[in-house]
Amino acid sequence: MIGLTSERLWGLGLLSILSLVGIIVSIASERGSEERANRLYREGALSNAAIIYGSHIQTDSMVARLHYNLGTTLLSLQSPSAPSELASTASSEDEELRSRALYNLGLWSLMQAIETEVTDSVRAHASTVSYTHLRAHETEADLVCRLLLEK
């Protein structure tokens, strides 16, 4: 049988305390992580996801992905702040992120057009959606369509 000396007990106690501290730190870190915000978004806890994305933006406002994630979350919440967050991503160097942001801005315009009862406003918003979507996904074949829409 292994004898438990006071030194060995002290070492085991210290190891237990350090393990517990590590678990607490990792739980606290995960609680505010971007991955958690993404998971909350997928689960439909949009307000909580928006809070986490917003806090990360306050820490690192230059990360376009965070603005896109916040803008998309605010879009789902139908918040009037969604377009400004998405617009800040629309000039991103990341082509895929820029394309998604432009698409979501077009979707926002369409949502606003549907909610508006005046037909001229609907037409104006719908043309913005078409133009934005074409520009986001434009190929040489689409160029002809865009030029026709601009006439």
Side-chain angles (χ1 to χ4, degrees):
M1 182 167 167
I2 299 175
L4 294 176
T5 64
S6 62
E7 289 176 9
R8 192 172 275 250
L9 283 174
W10 189 85
L12 288 173
L14 181 61
L15 183 63
S16 298
I17 290 171
L18 290 175
S19 297
L20 185 59
V21 168
I23 291 170
I24 291 170
V25 167
S26 66
I27 288 172
S29 173
E30 194 276 336
R31 178 169 284 215
S33 72
E34 184 180 351
E35 291 82 19
R36 182 165 191 266
N38 293 342
R39 191 170 49 255
L40 288 169
Y41 177 85
R42 286 189 301 272
E43 293 170 357
L46 302 176
S47 296
N48 293 335
I51 290 168
I52 294 173
Y53 290 135
S55 69
H56 281 282
I57 287 172
Q58 288 178 355
T59 304
D60 192 359
S61 65
M62 298 305 291
V63 179
R65 181 188 68 252
L66 291 172
H67 288 279
Y68 171 77
N69 287 348
L70 179 58
T72 301
T73 304
L74 294 173
L75 178 70
S76 297
L77 290 168
Q78 297 183 346
S79 167
S81 303
S84 63
E85 289 298 332
L86 291 168
S88 69
T89 309
S91 59
S92 170
E93 293 179 12
D94 182 338
E95 186 177 330
E96 182 180 350
L97 200 59
R98 183 176 59 248
S99 177
R100 288 179 180 205
L102 289 170
Y103 177 84
N104 283 348
L105 279 169
L107 183 59
W108 173 263
S109 295
L110 182 60
M111 290 167 57
Q112 296 306 302
I114 290 170
E115 290 180 9
T116 304
E117 294 180 17
V118 180
T119 56
D120 288 341
S121 177
V122 172
R123 198 173 311 120
H125 282 290
S127 67
T128 303
V129 171
S130 298
Y131 183 76
T132 303
H133 183 73
L134 280 175
R135 292 297 297 197
H137 302 285
E138 188 171 63
T139 63
E140 282 186 34
D142 294 329
L143 181 60
V144 173
C145 293
R146 181 170 63 84
L147 292 173
L148 288 173
L149 278 174
E150 289 178 349
K151 284 186 177 186

